[in-house]
Amino acid sequence: RFLSMKKQLVCALLCGALCLTPAMAAGVEEKFPAVAEYPGFADVAAGSWYEAAAITCYEVGLMKGTNLGFEPGKVLSRAECVTIAARIREALTGKAIPGEKASPWYQGHVDYLKADAPADFDWSGLESTATRQDFLDFLALAVAGYEAQFPAINAIEALPDVADGKTVLWFYNAGILTGKDKYGTFDAQGSLSRAEAAAM
């Protein structure tokens, strides 16, 4: 069951599905070994579209629960985006996030990502609600330098609501994003739930 769920996320990776070749999927799986046993959150509905992603994200340590459960409908904060991105980067680079406690709770993840981030990256308002663009920006930091591990499976050249989106298109072409509707709308300023983040 664990391997099956893990493959579902890998084939759906880190709102849509990430369709990797079998060889690439195996490589990504090795980067994200199980580190925790899923506790069976009561608010993760059995058979829901996000169930497998939520379980896998918990088991491989990308996302944890809150005081109220997994909270799949809770809107993600920028601080949570930083934390997820730092954990992805840790898996890709093999360089551990320092274990000492930081204040606020997300500061250690910020410091970890800052080490490889552009000097002009916007770190403001980390406790505010994240947009879809925010999450993508943090994911871009996470995979920077490791893009070759996510080969293009699509050849999308334009999106209905993105004028100049080289980075956005990279995520679409890698299969990590599929858009919010049949037209592939990105909705950069839209919010992002924890369930949607798990699927991505």
Side-chain angles (χ1 to χ4, degrees), residues 157-194:
E157 297 180 355
L159 298 171
D161 62 338
V162 177
D164 180 21
K166 182 178 178 183
T167 301
V168 178
L169 284 173
W170 182 86
F171 278 94
Y172 271 75
N173 285 321
I176 297 168
L177 295 178
T178 60
K180 293 185 73 173
D181 55 31
K182 65 181 181 179
Y183 305 107
T185 301
F186 176 48
D187 187 19
Q189 298 309 308
S191 60
L192 190 73
S193 71
R194 285 173 54 83

Side-chain angles (χ1 to χ4, degrees), residues 12-20 135 139 143 150 153-154 170-179 199-200:
L13 181 64
L14 298 171
C15 234
L18 173 59
C19 303
L20 299 172
F135 191 52
L139 287 183
V143 303
F150 305 92
I153 60 169
N154 298 312
W170 182 86
F171 278 94
Y172 271 75
N173 285 321
I176 297 168
L177 295 178
T178 60
M200 290 168 72

Side-chain angles (χ1 to χ4, degrees), residues 78-159:
R78 282 173 53 84
E80 289 172 309
C81 293
V82 168
T83 301
I84 294 168
R87 290 171 179 160
I88 292 171
R89 186 149 188 88
E90 178 182 45
L92 293 174
T93 66
K95 179 182 173 187
I97 299 170
E100 60 270 10
K101 294 289 184 181
S103 183
W105 63 269
Y106 52 80
Q107 189 60 50
H109 297 102
V110 171
D111 295 340
Y112 181 83
L113 280 182
K114 268 188 176 179
D116 297 320
D120 62 349
F121 191 85
D122 180 11
W123 298 98
S124 65
L126 290 175
E127 295 187 18
S128 63
T129 298
T131 64
R132 290 168 58 83
Q133 182 67 57
D134 288 332
F135 191 52
L136 186 141
D137 290 343
F138 286 116
L139 287 183
L141 288 183
V143 303
Y146 294 84
E147 291 88 351
Q149 295 191 30
F150 305 92
I153 60 169
N154 298 312
I156 300 167
E157 297 180 355
L159 298 171

